[in-house]
């Protein structure tokens, strides 16, 4: 590790690109000059950082991104150790995790009303091409099945991409604008779905069997969609919650 200490202070190489060795050298030098509170061994922290970077690079991240994520995981972004590792910072950990969980609430409603409004629009477009009501209802059922399958594949992908998912959670920061954006988008989609549903019903015709089938499909979606997302969330939460570090 002594070779890192002798490297220049700038983390940028002669070509203007990020130089990982120079950045680690600067980090290691400052770490030794200003050891963190709590008696942590600087040499051990340096080895942990290098191990984190190697792991992230193998997962497909760029060196610069791997460096900053590794620093965040160790809680050593800056060298104001009293602030960075004090009780106030540690108290933010459960808050950040709670915010990540709460972000799923507006995201759920956004997904729900997106599927509902798009399904109404899909049904109206099919009927506008003079497709029979019974055939149109069957296509609506296929549409709901297809969207449900897409969400299942998405959750499976998140479950299998463990390292990328952990990296995303590590870097997740919820802002007020993001929350308002999710809520606002969900609200607009809710209004859209409310306006489109009566139009869809007018395209059903007078056949009571087709009407009953249409309502059964809508009711089935209202029950199954929350079940799919809730089950997927429980599985993902149980896998990643203890593995993430803020």
């Amino acid at each position: 590790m002594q070779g890192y200490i002798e490297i220049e202070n700038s983390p940028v190489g002669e070509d203007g690109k990020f130089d990982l060795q120079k950045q680690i050298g600067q980090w290691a030098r400052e770490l030794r000059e200003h050891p963190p509170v709590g008696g942590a061994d600087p040499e051990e922290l340096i080895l942990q950082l290098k191990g984190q970077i190697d792991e992230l690079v193998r997962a497909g991240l760029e060196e610069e991104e791997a460096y900053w994520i590794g620093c965040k995981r160790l809680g050593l972004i800056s060298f104001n150790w009293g602030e960075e590792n004090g009780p106030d910072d540690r108290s933010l950990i459960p808050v950040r995790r709670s915010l990540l969980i709460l972000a799923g609430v507006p995201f759920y409603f956004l997904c729900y009303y997106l599927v509902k409004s798009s399904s109404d629009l899909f049904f109206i477009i099919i009927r506008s091409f003079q497709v029979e009501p019974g055939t149109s209802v069957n296509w609506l059922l296929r549409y709901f099945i297809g969207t449900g399958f897409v969400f299942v594949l998405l959750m499976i992908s998140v479950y299998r991409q463990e390292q990328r998912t952990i990296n995303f959670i590590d870097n997740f920061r919820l802002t007020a604008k993001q929350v308002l954006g999710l809520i606002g988008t969900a609200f607009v989609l809710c209004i859209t779905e409310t306006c489109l549903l009566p139009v869809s019903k007018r395209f059903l015709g007078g056949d009571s069997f087709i009407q009953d089938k249409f309502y059964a499909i809508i009711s089935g979606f209202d029950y199954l969609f929350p079940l799919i997302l809730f089950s997927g969330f429980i599985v993902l939460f149980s896998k990643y919650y203890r593995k993430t570090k803020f």
Side-chain angles (χ1 to χ4, degrees):
M1 295 301 299
Q2 296 300 321
Y4 285 116
I5 300 178
E6 297 171 358
I7 295 175
E8 296 180 6
N9 191 45
S10 174
V12 180
E14 295 180 356
D15 56 358
K17 296 182 179 180
F18 179 82
D19 191 316
L20 179 61
Q21 289 190 351
K22 288 185 178 181
Q23 183 64 49
I24 294 178
Q26 177 183 346
W27 192 89
R29 180 168 54 252
E30 295 182 5
L31 181 64
R32 293 188 179 99
E33 293 176 354
H34 307 282
V37 296
D41 183 9
E43 299 301 326
E44 179 64 25
L45 291 174
I46 294 169
L47 291 176
Q48 289 182 23
L49 175 64
K50 294 181 66 179
Q52 291 280 352
I53 293 173
D54 291 341
E55 178 183 348
L56 294 168
V57 170
R58 285 195 300 270
L61 275 67
E62 297 292 336
E63 288 185 344
E64 182 174 5
E65 184 180 9
Y67 168 79
W68 289 112
I69 291 176
C71 289
K72 287 183 180 180
R73 288 185 176 181
L74 294 178
L76 304 176
I77 294 299
S78 71
F79 289 90
N80 190 357
W81 306 114
E83 296 179 1
E84 190 69 22
N85 297 290
D88 292 340
D89 183 73
R90 288 194 296 269
S91 67
L92 292 177
I93 294 177
V95 175
R96 289 173 179 172
R97 283 178 171 164
S98 299
L99 290 175
L100 179 60
I101 296 171
L102 291 175
V105 176
F107 179 75
Y108 163 78
F109 284 105
L110 187 150
C111 293
Y112 174 82
Y113 286 113
L114 175 63
V115 176
K116 287 293 291 286
S117 59
S118 61
S119 66
D120 290 332
L121 183 61
F122 176 73
F123 183 78
I124 293 171
I125 292 175
I126 292 177
R127 290 291 292 122
S128 65
F129 283 99
Q130 305 303 318
V131 179
E132 294 294 328
T135 304
S136 300
V137 171
N138 290 333
W139 275 105
L140 180 64
L141 176 60
R142 295 171 186 173
Y143 180 84
F144 280 129
I145 294 175
T147 54
F149 185 68
V150 168
F151 277 101
V152 171
L153 287 180
L154 178 62
M155 287 185 287
I156 292 176
S157 176
V158 172
Y159 185 88
R160 293 177 62 88
Q161 296 291 325
E162 177 173 331
Q163 192 58 56
R164 292 185 180 275
T165 302
I166 293 176
N167 293 340
F168 169 78
I169 297 174
D170 281 343
N171 289 283
F172 181 84
R173 295 294 183 271
L174 189 65
T175 65
K177 289 184 178 180
Q178 291 172 336
V179 174
L180 291 176
L182 286 174
I183 295 175
T185 304
F187 182 73
V188 171
L189 290 173
C190 176
I191 295 177
T192 302
E193 194 274 334
T194 303
C195 296
L196 290 177
L197 183 59
V199 180
S200 300
K201 292 179 179 179
R202 286 200 295 267
F203 276 102
L204 286 173
D207 192 324
S208 59
F209 174 78
I210 294 176
Q211 292 178 358
D212 292 341
K213 186 175 182 179
F214 176 85
Y215 295 132
I217 292 173
I218 298 297
S219 299
F221 171 81
D222 290 338
Y223 284 108
L224 291 177
F225 185 78
L227 179 62
I228 292 174
L229 289 190
F230 180 76
S231 300
F233 174 80
I234 292 298
V235 172
L236 296 175
F237 179 82
S238 62
K239 178 178 182 180
Y240 292 119
Y241 181 79
R242 296 185 181 278
K243 292 184 178 183
T244 56
K245 300 176 182 178
F246 289 86

